[in-house]
Coordinates of all heavy atoms in Angstrom, one line a residue:
A41 N 83.4 132.5 151.9 CA 83.3 132.7 150.4 C 84.0 134.0 150.0 O 84.7 134.0 149.0 CB 81.8 132.8 150.0
K42 N 83.8 135.0 150.8 CA 84.5 136.3 150.5 C 86.0 136.1 150.6 O 86.7 136.6 149.8 CB 84.0 137.4 151.5 CG 84.7 138.7 151.4 CD 84.2 139.7 152.4 CE 85.0 140.9 152.5 NZ 84.5 141.9 153.5
R43 N 86.5 135.4 151.7 CA 87.9 135.2 151.8 C 88.5 134.5 150.7 O 89.6 134.9 150.1 CB 88.2 134.5 153.2 CG 89.7 134.4 153.5 CD 89.9 133.7 154.8 NE 89.4 132.3 154.8 CZ 88.4 131.9 155.4 NH1 87.6 132.7 156.1 NH2 88.0 130.6 155.4
M44 N 87.9 133.4 150.3 CA 88.4 132.6 149.2 C 88.3 133.3 147.8 O 89.3 133.2 147.0 CB 87.6 131.3 149.1 CG 87.9 130.3 150.3 SD 86.8 128.9 150.3 CE 87.2 128.2 151.9
S45 N 87.3 134.1 147.6 CA 87.2 134.9 146.4 C 88.3 135.9 146.3 O 88.8 136.1 145.3 CB 85.8 135.5 146.3 OG 84.8 134.6 146.2
K46 N 88.5 136.6 147.5 CA 89.6 137.6 147.5 C 90.9 136.9 147.2 O 91.8 137.5 146.6 CB 89.6 138.3 148.8 CG 88.3 139.2 149.0 CD 88.4 140.0 150.3 CE 89.4 141.1 150.2 NZ 89.2 142.1 151.4
E47 N 91.1 135.7 147.8 CA 92.4 135.0 147.5 C 92.5 134.7 146.0 O 93.6 134.8 145.4 CB 92.5 133.8 148.4 CG 92.7 134.0 149.8 CD 92.8 132.7 150.6 OE1 92.8 131.6 150.0 OE2 92.8 132.8 151.9
A48 N 91.4 134.3 145.4 CA 91.5 134.0 144.0 C 91.8 135.3 143.2 O 92.5 135.3 142.2 CB 90.1 133.4 143.5
E49 N 91.2 136.4 143.6 CA 91.4 137.7 142.9 C 92.9 138.0 143.0 O 93.6 138.4 142.0 CB 90.7 138.8 143.6 CG 89.2 138.8 143.4 CD 88.5 139.9 144.2 OE1 88.9 141.0 144.2 OE2 87.5 139.6 144.8
R50 N 93.5 137.9 144.2 CA 94.9 138.2 144.4 C 95.8 137.3 143.5 O 96.8 137.7 142.9 CB 95.3 138.1 145.9 CG 94.8 139.3 146.7 CD 95.5 139.3 148.1 NE 95.1 138.2 148.9 CZ 94.1 138.2 149.7 NH1 93.4 139.3 149.9 NH2 93.8 137.2 150.5
A51 N 95.4 136.0 143.5 CA 96.2 135.0 142.7 C 96.2 135.4 141.2 O 97.2 135.4 140.5 CB 95.6 133.6 142.9
I52 N 95.0 135.8 140.7 CA 94.9 136.1 139.3 C 95.7 137.4 139.0 O 96.4 137.5 138.0 CB 93.4 136.3 138.9 CG1 92.7 134.9 139.0 CG2 93.3 136.8 137.5 CD1 91.2 135.0 138.9
E53 N 95.6 138.4 139.9 CA 96.3 139.6 139.7 C 97.8 139.4 139.8 O 98.5 140.1 139.1 CB 95.9 140.6 140.8 CG 94.4 141.2 140.5 CD 93.9 142.0 141.7 OE1 94.6 142.0 142.8 OE2 92.8 142.5 141.6
M54 N 98.3 138.5 140.6 CA 99.7 138.2 140.6 C 100.2 137.6 139.3 O 101.3 138.0 138.8 CB 100.0 137.2 141.8 CG 99.9 137.8 143.2 SD 99.9 136.5 144.5 CE 101.6 135.8 144.3
I55 N 99.4 136.7 138.7 CA 99.8 136.1 137.4 C 99.8 137.2 136.4 O 100.7 137.4 135.5 CB 98.8 135.0 137.0 CG1 99.0 133.8 138.0 CG2 99.2 134.5 135.6 CD1 97.9 132.7 137.8
N56 N 98.7 138.1 136.4 CA 98.6 139.1 135.4 C 99.8 140.1 135.5 O 100.3 140.6 134.6 CB 97.3 139.9 135.6 CG 96.9 140.7 134.4 OD1 97.0 140.2 133.3 ND2 96.4 141.9 134.6
K57 N 100.1 140.5 136.8 CA 101.2 141.4 137.0 C 102.5 140.9 136.6 O 103.4 141.6 136.1 CB 101.2 141.8 138.5 CG 102.2 143.0 138.8 CD 102.1 143.4 140.2 CE 103.0 144.6 140.5 NZ 104.4 144.5 140.2
S58 N 102.7 139.6 136.8 CA 104.0 139.0 136.4 C 104.2 139.1 134.9 O 105.3 139.2 134.4 CB 104.1 137.5 136.9 OG 103.2 136.7 136.1
N59 N 103.1 139.0 134.2 CA 103.2 139.1 132.7 C 103.3 140.6 132.3 O 104.0 140.9 131.3 CB 101.9 138.5 132.0 CG 102.0 137.0 132.0 OD1 102.7 136.4 131.1 ND2 101.4 136.3 132.9
E60 N 102.6 141.5 133.0 CA 102.8 142.9 132.7 C 104.2 143.4 132.9 O 104.7 144.2 132.1 CB 101.9 143.8 133.6 CG 100.4 143.7 133.3 CD 99.6 144.5 134.2 OE1 100.0 145.6 134.6 OE2 98.5 144.1 134.6
D61 N 104.9 142.9 134.0 CA 106.2 143.4 134.3 C 107.3 142.7 133.5 O 108.5 143.1 133.6 CB 106.4 143.2 135.8 CG 105.6 144.2 136.6 OD1 105.0 145.1 136.1 OD2 105.4 143.9 137.8
R62 N 107.0 141.7 132.8 CA 108.0 140.9 132.0 C 108.5 141.8 130.9 O 107.7 142.4 130.1 CB 107.4 139.7 131.4 CG 108.3 138.8 130.6 CD 107.8 137.5 130.4 NE 106.4 137.5 129.8 CZ 106.1 137.7 128.5 NH1 107.1 137.8 127.7 NH2 104.9 137.7 128.1
P63 N 109.8 142.0 130.8 CA 110.4 142.9 129.7 C 110.0 142.3 128.4 O 110.0 141.1 128.2 CB 111.9 142.9 130.0 CG 112.1 141.7 130.8 CD 110.9 141.4 131.6
P64 N 109.8 143.2 127.4 CA 109.4 142.7 126.0 C 110.6 141.9 125.4 O 111.8 142.2 125.6 CB 109.1 144.0 125.3 CG 109.9 145.1 126.0 CD 109.8 144.6 127.5
V65 N 110.3 140.9 124.7 CA 111.3 140.1 124.0 C 111.2 140.5 122.5 O 110.2 140.4 121.8 CB 111.0 138.6 124.2 CG1 112.0 137.8 123.4 CG2 110.9 138.2 125.6
E66 N 112.3 140.9 122.0 CA 112.4 141.3 120.5 C 112.4 140.0 119.7 O 113.3 139.1 119.9 CB 113.7 142.1 120.3 CG 113.7 143.4 120.9 CD 112.7 144.4 120.3 OE1 112.2 144.1 119.1 OE2 112.3 145.4 120.9
M67 N 111.5 139.9 118.8 CA 111.5 138.7 117.9 C 112.4 139.0 116.7 O 112.4 140.1 116.1 CB 110.1 138.5 117.3 CG 109.1 138.1 118.5 SD 109.4 136.5 119.0 CE 108.8 135.5 117.7
P68 N 113.2 138.0 116.3 CA 114.1 138.3 115.1 C 113.3 138.4 113.8 O 112.3 137.8 113.7 CB 115.0 137.0 115.2 CG 114.1 136.0 115.8 CD 113.3 136.7 116.8
M69 N 113.9 139.1 112.9 CA 113.4 139.2 111.5 C 113.7 137.9 110.9 O 114.8 137.3 111.0 CB 114.0 140.3 110.8 CG 113.8 141.7 111.4 SD 112.0 142.1 111.3 CE 111.8 142.3 109.6
M70 N 112.7 137.3 110.1 CA 112.8 136.0 109.6 C 112.6 136.0 108.1 O 111.7 136.6 107.6 CB 111.8 135.0 110.3 CG 112.1 134.8 111.7 SD 110.8 133.8 112.5 CE 109.4 134.8 112.4
D71 N 113.4 135.2 107.4 CA 113.2 134.9 106.0 C 112.2 133.7 105.9 O 112.1 133.0 106.9 CB 114.5 134.6 105.3 CG 115.4 135.8 105.3 OD1 114.9 137.0 105.2 OD2 116.6 135.6 105.4
D72 N 111.7 133.5 104.8 CA 110.7 132.4 104.6 C 111.4 131.0 104.9 O 110.7 130.1 105.4 CB 110.2 132.3 103.2 CG 109.2 133.5 103.0 OD1 108.8 134.1 104.0 OD2 109.0 133.9 101.8
D73 N 112.7 130.9 104.6 CA 113.4 129.6 104.8 C 114.1 129.6 106.1 O 114.9 128.7 106.4 CB 114.3 129.3 103.7 CG 115.3 130.4 103.5 OD1 115.2 131.5 104.1 OD2 116.3 130.2 102.7
M74 N 113.9 130.6 107.0 CA 114.7 130.6 108.2 C 114.0 129.8 109.3 O 112.8 129.8 109.4 CB 114.8 132.1 108.7 CG 115.5 132.3 110.0 SD 115.6 134.1 110.4 CE 116.5 134.0 112.0
D75 N 114.8 129.1 110.1 CA 114.2 128.3 111.2 C 113.7 129.3 112.3 O 114.3 130.3 112.6 CB 115.3 127.4 111.8 CG 115.7 126.3 110.9 OD1 114.9 125.9 110.0 OD2 116.8 125.8 111.0
I76 N 112.6 128.9 112.8 CA 111.9 129.8 113.8 C 112.4 129.4 115.2 O 112.3 128.2 115.6 CB 110.4 129.7 113.8 CG1 109.9 130.1 112.4 CG2 109.7 130.5 114.9 CD1 108.4 129.9 112.2
D77 N 112.9 130.4 115.9 CA 113.3 130.2 117.3 C 112.1 130.4 118.2 O 111.6 131.5 118.3 CB 114.4 131.2 117.7 CG 114.8 131.0 119.2 OD1 114.3 130.0 119.8 OD2 115.6 131.8 119.7
E78 N 111.5 129.3 118.8 CA 110.3 129.3 119.5 C 110.5 129.7 121.0 O 109.5 129.7 121.7 CB 109.5 128.0 119.4 CG 109.1 127.7 117.9 CD 108.2 126.5 117.9 OE1 108.1 125.8 118.9 OE2 107.7 126.2 116.8
S79 N 111.7 129.9 121.4 CA 112.0 130.1 122.8 C 111.2 131.3 123.4 O 110.7 131.3 124.5 CB 113.5 130.2 123.1 OG 114.0 131.3 122.4
P80 N 111.1 132.5 122.6 CA 110.4 133.6 123.2 C 108.9 133.3 123.4 O 108.3 133.8 124.3 CB 110.5 134.7 122.2 CG 111.8 134.3 121.4 CD 111.7 132.9 121.4

């Protein structure tokens, strides 16, 4: 139980860290009639 819980902790921390280290994506300024780029 301890081993599996620790593996789950590491897995969650890896996902969290991958998002922390991801460089910020600048969102474009949009007019009301401008198409939204949903890629970011």
Side-chain angles (χ1 to χ4, degrees):
K42 176 181 171 181
R43 185 178 64 255
M44 292 170 187
S45 295
K46 290 183 75 171
E47 287 180 7
E49 288 175 48
R50 285 194 291 269
I52 296 169
E53 287 169 355
M54 287 168 65
I55 296 173
N56 198 41
K57 188 175 187 302
S58 71
N59 282 279
E60 286 179 36
D61 292 341
R62 179 167 51 87
V65 178
E66 293 291 341
M67 295 289 287
M69 297 298 292
M70 294 178 292
D71 297 325
D72 292 339
D73 57 349
M74 179 179 177
D75 292 335
I76 299 175
D77 180 6
E78 296 185 352
S79 59

